[in-house]
Amino acid sequence: MTEAIGMVETRGFIAVVEAADAMLKAAEVRLVAYERIGSAYCCATVRGDHAAVKAAVDAGAAAGRRVGEVVGARVIATPHPDLGKVLPVGDPDSRT
């Protein structure tokens, strides 16, 4: 079964740290990637069960908005298996 992917993109480092912290505390998800995109944009990516990822992204976006600007928040319920080959979204078979 494919795990869902959730992403919260913010403008500013503090907002992405707050969002990532809230995501990990809100549900049973794994932080699989963090990117500093440029021009102060940052993105935190989590993986897990669809319901857990949805709850985590909602909590992360709300937390990020309290301290900064959230640019986007998305959940991909059933990502293509090859997505990990081109994007840093973590290995779904890895349980580290």
Side-chain angles (χ1 to χ4, degrees):
M1 181 175 178
T2 304
E3 291 184 317
I5 297 172
M7 298 163 282
V8 175
E9 183 179 357
T10 67
R11 184 154 185 205
F13 180 72
I14 299 300
V16 80
V17 170
E18 187 74 19
D21 183 55
M23 286 192 289
L24 296 173
K25 290 176 179 176
E28 189 65 34
V29 294
R30 293 182 327 277
L31 183 65
V32 295
Y34 154 76
E35 288 185 272
R36 292 173 56 192
I37 300 165
S39 299
Y41 289 98
C42 302
C43 182
T45 305
V46 296
R47 286 193 86 123
D49 176 72
H50 181 262
V53 169
K54 174 72 171 124
V57 168
D58 290 344
R65 282 187 194 99
R66 284 194 295 273
V67 297
E69 179 184 350
V70 173
V71 177
R74 295 287 179 259
V75 174
I76 302 173
T78 54
H80 191 278
D82 291 341
L83 189 62
K85 293 179 182 176
V86 294
L87 296 174
V89 292
D91 181 9
D93 297 324
S94 159
R95 299 288 180 197
T96 59

